[in-house]
Amino acid sequence: MVRQLDYMQMKAIFARFEEAEAHPKGELDHTNAYTLLVAVALSAQATDVGVNKATKDLFPIADTPAKMLALGEEGLIEHIKTIGLFRQKAKNVLKMSRILVEKYDGLVPSSRAALVELPGVGRKTANVVLNMWFGHPAQAVDTHIFRVGNRTGICPGRDVEAVERAIEDNVPVEYQRHAHHWLILHGRYICVARKPKCGACPIREWCQFEEKTQ
């Protein structure tokens, strides 16, 4: 495992990310906290593009837990059947919606503990919602962040929770709010899995990856 970069290196890296894109955004389409929660839950083992195609016609008619329950399982499946594991995801979305109606008056709670108790919502999904909607400096570690963190030394860790802790412990506080978005976008478009685009990398000078491409 590569070593953790030091404070000044981390500060320089995230200043470079901020310079390139000061306000990075997630790529899942949504209109409110509920549709964001549903979109992120649907995105497990699916692409953001695929989820956005499925929810383009779904969210205009089911943008609250009550409306989703009224749509029903078959109605929901009709919209999301192009997404992997769509049957189980449909069941989870409806169970989640019922809990939100019965326990939270139809609102999405703003605590991680409450969110992860919802069907189909894990720590990563909860962190995305907390960060993107509620503005918490929560770090949602996906495969892109795990790869970038361990390849570069920005946030090395043996599992996603270790990488999450490395971000929280080592990214300067002023960059915590957008840290996971910068890392996801960097992994999605520059530090890709098979042939990283090291020649176009804005943080190449600090990266510890030994097999840099030209």
Side-chain angles (χ1 to χ4, degrees):
M1 187 183 296
V2 299
R3 65 172 177 80
Q4 170 69 55
L5 297 175
D6 66 32
Y7 177 79
M8 294 308 297
Q9 292 170 318
M10 295 286 282
K11 195 170 179 67
I13 284 171
F14 282 91
R16 188 70 57 83
F17 283 149
E18 184 178 51
E19 182 182 345
E21 188 167 3
H23 302 288
K25 292 181 171 31
E27 297 182 324
L28 285 171
D29 295 336
H30 61 281
T31 57
N32 56 28
Y34 174 70
T35 54
L36 174 60
L37 177 62
V38 171
V40 180
L42 293 176
S43 71
Q45 300 181 48
T47 66
D48 289 359
V49 172
V51 173
N52 289 340
K53 285 182 179 179
T55 59
K56 179 170 64 73
D57 295 324
L58 171 64
F59 288 159
I61 61 172
D63 61 351
T64 69
K67 290 178 183 177
M68 191 68 76
L69 290 170
L71 184 63
E73 186 172 336
E74 290 307 313
L76 175 54
I77 284 175
E78 190 60 32
H79 286 280
I80 68 170
K81 61 187 178 182
T82 56
I83 300 175
L85 306 175
F86 65 90
R87 291 193 182 279
Q88 185 57 49
K89 289 177 180 178
K91 291 181 187 299
N92 285 337
V93 167
L94 292 173
K95 289 177 183 176
M96 168 208 306
S97 300
R98 187 164 302 283
I99 292 172
L100 291 176
V101 168
E102 294 176 350
K103 190 173 180 179
Y104 298 102
D105 198 26
L107 301 176
V108 175
S110 59
S111 86
R112 184 185 290 120
L115 286 168
V116 297
E117 288 184 349
L118 297 172
V121 178
R123 187 179 181 89
K124 175 192 162 190
T125 297
N127 282 350
V128 171
V129 174
L130 290 173
N131 182 284
M132 288 181 61
W133 192 261
F134 295 107
H136 297 183
Q139 310 301 334
V141 178
D142 68 353
T143 55
H144 295 301
I145 295 182
F146 189 82
R147 178 178 66 255
V148 170
N150 280 291
R151 181 181 275 175
T152 63
I154 292 174
C155 46
R158 297 190 181 280
D159 53 44
V160 293
E161 290 193 9
V163 170
E164 182 182 327
R165 287 194 300 274
I167 298 173
E168 293 173 346
D169 291 345
N170 296 288
V171 174
V173 67
E174 63 267 32
Y175 301 116
Q176 288 275 340
R177 174 69 172 81
H178 296 306
H180 94 274
H181 275 130
W182 282 317
L183 292 170
I184 287 173
L185 294 173
H186 188 65
R188 186 172 288 168
Y189 298 110
I190 301 293
C191 196
V192 295
R194 290 179 180 268
K195 291 184 179 179
K197 302 172 185 177
C198 300
C201 177
I203 62 166
R204 179 186 175 111
E205 62 202 270
W206 301 287
C207 175
Q208 295 184 60
F209 185 50
E210 294 182 355
E211 301 170 27
K212 290 187 177 74
T213 62
Q214 297 301 314

